[in-house]
Amino acid sequence: MHTTELKHGRTWLIRLDTDAPLYKQILDAGAELGIEAATFTLIGALQNVVVRYVDQEAKEYRDLELNQHMEMLSGVGNFSLKDGKPFVHCHITVAAEDGSAYGGHLHEEKPSLIFVTELWLQELLGDAPVRLFDERCGLALWQ
Ligand code: ZN
């Protein structure tokens, strides 16, 4: 177990921009507010969804592209530091027109475009957790 004690800082409710890529909007909000460590939740609707699934045997991500309008039932994530810069880790659960749910790790490069998104952002104060590459999992994990 790797534990980091942090204190609650500022809290924001933010409406993100329609037609903007979700991952980049979250990252940009953090940059604008000067955040290094935070937790957040999201609700809204997306115009398309690109998430990833980690194949634990191959230690690589597989992309899932959903080219349809989706409700974003829930998004949860955090900010920490990777390579000396703020990094966003976010998972989302989305629903199709018939209510069936999909989800995964929000893709950092392939955009999921916002229709409407409300972000509840909780800044955390103290030494931000730092992500370093972990050989066992093949992922950048908190140290
Ligand atoms: Zn993830």
Side-chain angles (χ1 to χ4, degrees):
M1 193 181 304
H2 299 263
T3 306
T4 303
E5 182 176 358
L6 299 164
K7 302 232 181 296
H8 280 187
R10 301 165 293 173
T11 301
W12 293 272
L13 290 174
I14 303 167
R15 182 174 67 82
L16 300 180
D17 296 338
T18 299
D19 298 329
L22 178 59
Y23 186 87
K24 188 169 184 310
Q25 278 272 291
I26 300 166
L27 201 57
D28 287 352
E32 196 169 302
L33 299 167
I35 284 177
E36 291 191 339
T39 61
F40 61 82
T41 63
L42 302 160
I43 55 172
L46 299 170
Q47 299 179 43
N48 71 300
V49 171
V50 188
V51 291
R52 311 181 94 184
Y53 165 88
V54 65
D55 181 327
Q56 298 179 23
E57 299 296 331
K59 297 184 186 176
E60 61 186 27
Y61 279 111
R62 287 194 219 140
D63 294 356
L64 172 63
E65 302 193 21
L66 302 162
N67 294 311
Q68 57 183 303
H69 297 170
M70 311 286 290
E71 284 292 306
M72 181 164 48
L73 308 178
S74 172
V76 62
N78 55 64
F79 280 77
S80 57
L81 296 175
K82 183 180 167 191
D83 301 325
K85 294 183 296 194
F87 175 81
V88 169
H89 185 197
C90 179
H91 287 195
I92 62 173
T93 306
V94 294
E97 191 176 5
D98 67 356
S100 57
Y102 299 85
H105 173 108
L106 182 63
H107 204 295
E108 289 90 346
E109 286 106 36
K110 293 181 182 174
S112 295
L113 294 180
I114 294 168
F115 182 64
V116 176
T117 296
E118 296 172 351
L119 166 65
W120 178 81
L121 180 59
Q122 174 63 63
E123 179 186 38
L124 297 170
L125 302 175
D127 292 332
V130 174
R131 290 184 181 278
L132 293 174
F133 185 76
D134 181 272
E135 288 289 341
R136 164 69 181 83
C137 297
L139 299 166
L141 305 180
W142 288 339
Q143 297 305 297

PDB file of all heavy atoms in Angstrom, residues 50-66:
ATOM      1  N   VAL A  50     -14.678   7.349 -26.464  1.00  0.00           N
ATOM      2  CA  VAL A  50     -13.524   6.476 -26.695  1.00  0.00           C
ATOM      3  C   VAL A  50     -12.891   6.173 -25.346  1.00  0.00           C
ATOM      4  O   VAL A  50     -12.385   7.076 -24.673  1.00  0.00           O
ATOM      5  CB  VAL A  50     -12.474   7.110 -27.640  1.00  0.00           C
ATOM      6  CG1 VAL A  50     -11.402   6.068 -27.983  1.00  0.00           C
ATOM      7  CG2 VAL A  50     -13.122   7.662 -28.903  1.00  0.00           C
ATOM      8  N   VAL A  51     -12.984   4.911 -24.945  1.00  0.00           N
ATOM      9  CA  VAL A  51     -12.405   4.472 -23.676  1.00  0.00           C
ATOM     10  C   VAL A  51     -11.443   3.319 -23.942  1.00  0.00           C
ATOM     11  O   VAL A  51     -11.380   2.785 -25.051  1.00  0.00           O
ATOM     12  CB  VAL A  51     -13.500   4.045 -22.662  1.00  0.00           C
ATOM     13  CG1 VAL A  51     -14.295   5.245 -22.191  1.00  0.00           C
ATOM     14  CG2 VAL A  51     -14.404   2.977 -23.245  1.00  0.00           C
ATOM     15  N   ARG A  52     -10.704   2.946 -22.904  1.00  0.00           N
ATOM     16  CA  ARG A  52      -9.720   1.891 -23.026  1.00  0.00           C
ATOM     17  C   ARG A  52      -9.957   0.844 -21.938  1.00  0.00           C
ATOM     18  O   ARG A  52     -10.497   1.143 -20.880  1.00  0.00           O
ATOM     19  CB  ARG A  52      -8.303   2.461 -22.870  1.00  0.00           C
ATOM     20  CG  ARG A  52      -8.065   3.671 -23.740  1.00  0.00           C
ATOM     21  CD  ARG A  52      -6.657   4.200 -23.604  1.00  0.00           C
ATOM     22  NE  ARG A  52      -5.843   3.611 -24.651  1.00  0.00           N
ATOM     23  CZ  ARG A  52      -4.536   3.797 -24.787  1.00  0.00           C
ATOM     24  NH1 ARG A  52      -3.882   4.546 -23.933  1.00  0.00           N
ATOM     25  NH2 ARG A  52      -3.884   3.234 -25.761  1.00  0.00           N
ATOM     26  N   TYR A  53      -9.525  -0.353 -22.257  1.00  0.00           N
ATOM     27  CA  TYR A  53      -9.615  -1.493 -21.340  1.00  0.00           C
ATOM     28  C   TYR A  53      -8.197  -2.027 -21.218  1.00  0.00           C
ATOM     29  O   TYR A  53      -7.523  -2.235 -22.240  1.00  0.00           O
ATOM     30  CB  TYR A  53     -10.550  -2.543 -21.953  1.00  0.00           C
ATOM     31  CG  TYR A  53     -10.464  -3.904 -21.319  1.00  0.00           C
ATOM     32  CD1 TYR A  53     -11.249  -4.220 -20.205  1.00  0.00           C
ATOM     33  CD2 TYR A  53      -9.603  -4.886 -21.828  1.00  0.00           C
ATOM     34  CE1 TYR A  53     -11.171  -5.465 -19.620  1.00  0.00           C
ATOM     35  CE2 TYR A  53      -9.528  -6.137 -21.240  1.00  0.00           C
ATOM     36  CZ  TYR A  53     -10.314  -6.419 -20.140  1.00  0.00           C
ATOM     37  OH  TYR A  53     -10.238  -7.663 -19.551  1.00  0.00           O
ATOM     38  N   VAL A  54      -7.726  -2.251 -19.991  1.00  0.00           N
ATOM     39  CA  VAL A  54      -6.357  -2.751 -19.847  1.00  0.00           C
ATOM     40  C   VAL A  54      -6.364  -4.284 -19.859  1.00  0.00           C
ATOM     41  O   VAL A  54      -7.054  -4.921 -19.069  1.00  0.00           O
ATOM     42  CB  VAL A  54      -5.654  -2.187 -18.579  1.00  0.00           C
ATOM     43  CG1 VAL A  54      -6.301  -2.658 -17.280  1.00  0.00           C
ATOM     44  CG2 VAL A  54      -4.166  -2.533 -18.599  1.00  0.00           C
ATOM     45  N   ASP A  55      -5.639  -4.821 -20.832  1.00  0.00           N
ATOM     46  CA  ASP A  55      -5.449  -6.270 -20.923  1.00  0.00           C
ATOM     47  C   ASP A  55      -4.336  -6.614 -19.932  1.00  0.00           C
ATOM     48  O   ASP A  55      -3.169  -6.293 -20.155  1.00  0.00           O
ATOM     49  CB  ASP A  55      -5.060  -6.642 -22.355  1.00  0.00           C
ATOM     50  CG  ASP A  55      -4.863  -8.138 -22.525  1.00  0.00           C
ATOM     51  OD1 ASP A  55      -4.414  -8.814 -21.571  1.00  0.00           O
ATOM     52  OD2 ASP A  55      -5.138  -8.627 -23.640  1.00  0.00           O
ATOM     53  N   GLN A  56      -4.692  -7.275 -18.832  1.00  0.00           N
ATOM     54  CA  GLN A  56      -3.741  -7.508 -17.745  1.00  0.00           C
ATOM     55  C   GLN A  56      -2.688  -8.549 -18.090  1.00  0.00           C
ATOM     56  O   GLN A  56      -1.614  -8.568 -17.472  1.00  0.00           O
ATOM     57  CB  GLN A  56      -4.494  -7.905 -16.462  1.00  0.00           C
ATOM     58  CG  GLN A  56      -5.418  -6.797 -15.983  1.00  0.00           C
ATOM     59  CD  GLN A  56      -6.182  -7.174 -14.733  1.00  0.00           C
ATOM     60  OE1 GLN A  56      -5.782  -8.053 -13.964  1.00  0.00           O
ATOM     61  NE2 GLN A  56      -7.307  -6.515 -14.499  1.00  0.00           N
ATOM     62  N   GLU A  57      -2.985  -9.428 -19.045  1.00  0.00           N
ATOM     63  CA  GLU A  57      -1.988 -10.422 -19.481  1.00  0.00           C
ATOM     64  C   GLU A  57      -0.968  -9.770 -20.408  1.00  0.00           C
ATOM     65  O   GLU A  57       0.236  -9.898 -20.203  1.00  0.00           O
ATOM     66  CB  GLU A  57      -2.679 -11.584 -20.213  1.00  0.00           C
ATOM     67  CG  GLU A  57      -3.689 -12.356 -19.379  1.00  0.00           C
ATOM     68  CD  GLU A  57      -3.054 -13.061 -18.197  1.00  0.00           C
ATOM     69  OE1 GLU A  57      -1.867 -13.439 -18.270  1.00  0.00           O
ATOM     70  OE2 GLU A  57      -3.762 -13.220 -17.176  1.00  0.00           O
ATOM     71  N   ALA A  58      -1.472  -9.068 -21.421  1.00  0.00           N
ATOM     72  CA  ALA A  58      -0.591  -8.440 -22.415  1.00  0.00           C
ATOM     73  C   ALA A  58       0.022  -7.141 -21.897  1.00  0.00           C
ATOM     74  O   ALA A  58       0.974  -6.629 -22.476  1.00  0.00           O
ATOM     75  CB  ALA A  58      -1.376  -8.161 -23.685  1.00  0.00           C
ATOM     76  N   LYS A  59      -0.527  -6.603 -20.772  1.00  0.00           N
ATOM     77  CA  LYS A  59      -0.078  -5.321 -20.215  1.00  0.00           C
ATOM     78  C   LYS A  59      -0.160  -4.215 -21.266  1.00  0.00           C
ATOM     79  O   LYS A  59       0.785  -3.463 -21.482  1.00  0.00           O
ATOM     80  CB  LYS A  59       1.340  -5.423 -19.653  1.00  0.00           C
ATOM     81  CG  LYS A  59       1.465  -6.389 -18.497  1.00  0.00           C
ATOM     82  CD  LYS A  59       2.861  -6.385 -17.929  1.00  0.00           C
ATOM     83  CE  LYS A  59       3.015  -7.452 -16.876  1.00  0.00           C
ATOM     84  NZ  LYS A  59       4.375  -7.555 -16.359  1.00  0.00           N
ATOM     85  N   GLU A  60      -1.309  -4.176 -21.929  1.00  0.00           N
ATOM     86  CA  GLU A  60      -1.523  -3.096 -22.896  1.00  0.00           C
ATOM     87  C   GLU A  60      -3.008  -2.751 -22.941  1.00  0.00           C
ATOM     88  O   GLU A  60      -3.852  -3.552 -22.541  1.00  0.00           O
ATOM     89  CB  GLU A  60      -1.012  -3.495 -24.284  1.00  0.00           C
ATOM     90  CG  GLU A  60      -1.706  -4.710 -24.854  1.00  0.00           C
ATOM     91  CD  GLU A  60      -1.083  -5.186 -26.160  1.00  0.00           C
ATOM     92  OE1 GLU A  60       0.111  -4.951 -26.369  1.00  0.00           O
ATOM     93  OE2 GLU A  60      -1.817  -5.789 -26.956  1.00  0.00           O
ATOM     94  N   TYR A  61      -3.267  -1.537 -23.423  1.00  0.00           N
ATOM     95  CA  TYR A  61      -4.649  -1.078 -23.519  1.00  0.00           C
ATOM     96  C   TYR A  61      -5.270  -1.496 -24.840  1.00  0.00           C
ATOM     97  O   TYR A  61      -4.608  -1.543 -25.868  1.00  0.00           O
ATOM     98  CB  TYR A  61      -4.689   0.451 -23.427  1.00  0.00           C
ATOM     99  CG  TYR A  61      -4.607   1.002 -22.029  1.00  0.00           C
ATOM    100  CD1 TYR A  61      -3.479   1.695 -21.603  1.00  0.00           C
ATOM    101  CD2 TYR A  61      -5.666   0.847 -21.140  1.00  0.00           C
ATOM    102  CE1 TYR A  61      -3.416   2.231 -20.318  1.00  0.00           C
ATOM    103  CE2 TYR A  61      -5.611   1.378 -19.872  1.00  0.00           C
ATOM    104  CZ  TYR A  61      -4.484   2.057 -19.455  1.00  0.00           C
ATOM    105  OH  TYR A  61      -4.427   2.586 -18.202  1.00  0.00           O
ATOM    106  N   ARG A  62      -6.571  -1.785 -24.787  1.00  0.00           N
ATOM    107  CA  ARG A  62      -7.368  -1.987 -26.000  1.00  0.00           C
ATOM    108  C   ARG A  62      -8.404  -0.879 -26.047  1.00  0.00           C
ATOM    109  O   ARG A  62      -9.049  -0.593 -25.032  1.00  0.00           O
ATOM    110  CB  ARG A  62      -8.100  -3.330 -25.943  1.00  0.00           C
ATOM    111  CG  ARG A  62      -7.191  -4.508 -26.132  1.00  0.00           C
ATOM    112  CD  ARG A  62      -8.023  -5.750 -26.402  1.00  0.00           C
ATOM    113  NE  ARG A  62      -7.419  -6.874 -25.720  1.00  0.00           N
ATOM    114  CZ  ARG A  62      -8.093  -7.820 -25.087  1.00  0.00           C
ATOM    115  NH1 ARG A  62      -9.415  -7.785 -25.051  1.00  0.00           N
ATOM    116  NH2 ARG A  62      -7.463  -8.807 -24.502  1.00  0.00           N
ATOM    117  N   ASP A  63      -8.569  -0.267 -27.204  1.00  0.00           N
ATOM    118  CA  ASP A  63      -9.514   0.843 -27.342  1.00  0.00           C
ATOM    119  C   ASP A  63     -10.919   0.344 -27.649  1.00  0.00           C
ATOM    120  O   ASP A  63     -11.087  -0.645 -28.361  1.00  0.00           O
ATOM    121  CB  ASP A  63      -9.070   1.766 -28.481  1.00  0.00           C
ATOM    122  CG  ASP A  63      -7.762   2.477 -28.167  1.00  0.00           C
ATOM    123  OD1 ASP A  63      -7.242   2.319 -27.039  1.00  0.00           O
ATOM    124  OD2 ASP A  63      -7.256   3.185 -29.054  1.00  0.00           O
ATOM    125  N   LEU A  64     -11.914   1.034 -27.090  1.00  0.00           N
ATOM    126  CA  LEU A  64     -13.321   0.780 -27.403  1.00  0.00           C
ATOM    127  C   LEU A  64     -13.895   2.116 -27.894  1.00  0.00           C
ATOM    128  O   LEU A  64     -13.919   3.099 -27.151  1.00  0.00           O
ATOM    129  CB  LEU A  64     -14.073   0.316 -26.149  1.00  0.00           C
ATOM    130  CG  LEU A  64     -15.597   0.189 -26.277  1.00  0.00           C
ATOM    131  CD1 LEU A  64     -15.971  -0.864 -27.309  1.00  0.00           C
ATOM    132  CD2 LEU A  64     -16.223  -0.133 -24.934  1.00  0.00           C
ATOM    133  N   GLU A  65     -14.297   2.144 -29.171  1.00  0.00           N
ATOM    134  CA  GLU A  65     -14.822   3.379 -29.755  1.00  0.00           C
ATOM    135  C   GLU A  65     -16.320   3.239 -29.967  1.00  0.00           C
ATOM    136  O   GLU A  65     -16.768   2.329 -30.660  1.00  0.00           O
ATOM    137  CB  GLU A  65     -14.113   3.680 -31.081  1.00  0.00           C
ATOM    138  CG  GLU A  65     -12.601   3.805 -30.899  1.00  0.00           C
ATOM    139  CD  GLU A  65     -11.886   4.403 -32.107  1.00  0.00           C
ATOM    140  OE1 GLU A  65     -12.545   5.075 -32.920  1.00  0.00           O
ATOM    141  OE2 GLU A  65     -10.666   4.193 -32.212  1.00  0.00           O
ATOM    142  N   LEU A  66     -17.086   4.116 -29.343  1.00  0.00           N
ATOM    143  CA  LEU A  66     -18.547   4.105 -29.437  1.00  0.00           C
ATOM    144  C   LEU A  66     -18.955   5.371 -30.183  1.00  0.00           C
ATOM    145  O   LEU A  66     -18.927   6.463 -29.620  1.00  0.00           O
ATOM    146  CB  LEU A  66     -19.163   4.064 -28.035  1.00  0.00           C
ATOM    147  CG  LEU A  66     -18.736   2.861 -27.181  1.00  0.00           C
ATOM    148  CD1 LEU A  66     -19.004   3.110 -25.711  1.00  0.00           C
ATOM    149  CD2 LEU A  66     -19.441   1.606 -27.652  1.00  0.00           C
TER     150      LEU A  66
END
